[in-house]
Structures are given as C-alpha cells and as structure tokens.
Amino acid sequence: TDSIIPFGSKDDPYTPASLSTQSLVHSTYEVQSFSIRSNADSVTLSPSASISSGYRMRFKSETTAVTTGGGGKGCLRWDGSVAEIKAELEAMAGIGSVTVTKEEMSSIV
C-alpha cells in the first residue's frame, strides 16, 4: 500500500493535502538523449554487423562494461537495438529502470 505524505498548500499551509509514494516514483525522472551521425549528410554509416565499431557510455564514474557487440568490453554497437542499450544502462549501479527509444533519421540539417 502507498504511504500518504501530508503537506499544506501555498495559500494555507494548514490545509490538508497529500502526495502518495507512488507519485514520488516519477518525481526524479530525467530525460537524456544523444545522437550518432556522420559529419556529412552525404556519408552513410556502415552497419555495425559489417564492421566492428561502437561506443561506450559513461554515467558519473561508471562506464558501460557488459556488452561486447561493438567490438570491445562495454562497447555498444552504434546501430544497436533498444533492448541492448536498455540492458547495458540497467547493468550500471547508478541507474535504475530505464525506458529507451530510438529514432532513425535520414539526415540532419
């Protein structure tokens, strides 16, 4: 069951109100994003299945270390799946449950 945390309003600090612990679960959500692209619109990036290429991610003092799909320990494939990125992030001690989305773009102007 949820615990209820009472608090007052700005206008009247004695007016009862509440905030559930369930709603607090979402209070620290943060959105992070990054892009991987070539330095010229005319360049097509090679699929990582055909060449060994990838990247590592760092959060605070921790660096990805589980996946080897991009060629080395903790190296994610640059065109890896959402599931691969999610698993790698959730393996990091400083990160809890995450939602990962992926958007493919034909070019960035």
Side-chain angles (χ1 to χ4, degrees), residues 86-109:
K86 178 180 173 59
E88 187 68 44
L89 289 171
E90 289 180 345
M92 298 172 84
I95 298 177
S97 177
V98 299
T99 301
V100 175
T101 59
K102 182 177 177 179
E103 179 182 357
E104 295 190 27
M105 299 178 184
S106 56
S107 66
I108 298 175
V109 179

Side-chain angles (χ1 to χ4, degrees), residues 8 10 14 16 24 28 33 35 44 47-48 52-53 55 60 66-67 76 84 95 99 109:
K10 178 181 172 187
Y14 301 105
L24 287 174
T28 59
S33 65
S35 299
T44 302
S48 63
S52 183
S53 64
Y55 64 96
K60 297 184 179 176
V66 177
T67 304
L76 292 143
E84 291 170 329
I95 298 177
T99 301
V109 179

Side-chain angles (χ1 to χ4, degrees), residues 3-95:
S3 298
I4 303 297
I5 303 167
F7 64 96
S9 70
K10 178 181 172 187
D11 298 328
D12 183 0
Y14 301 105
T15 302
S18 65
L19 181 66
S20 71
T21 54
Q22 183 62 30
S23 65
L24 287 174
V25 168
H26 305 288
S27 67
T28 59
Y29 281 2
E30 196 175 312
V31 176
Q32 304 281 328
S33 65
F34 67 95
S35 299
I36 298 174
R37 61 188 177 105
S38 68
N39 60 358
D41 289 339
S42 61
V43 175
T44 302
L45 296 172
S46 300
S48 63
S50 63
I51 61 170
S52 183
S53 64
Y55 64 96
R56 290 182 179 87
M57 297 174 81
R58 175 170 274 224
F59 180 74
K60 297 184 179 176
S61 63
E62 193 171 11
T63 303
T64 53
V66 177
T67 304
T68 58
K73 185 177 179 184
C75 202
L76 292 143
R77 296 180 307 131
W78 73 264
D79 57 351
S81 73
V82 166
E84 291 170 329
I85 297 167
K86 178 180 173 59
E88 187 68 44
L89 289 171
E90 289 180 345
M92 298 172 84
I95 298 177

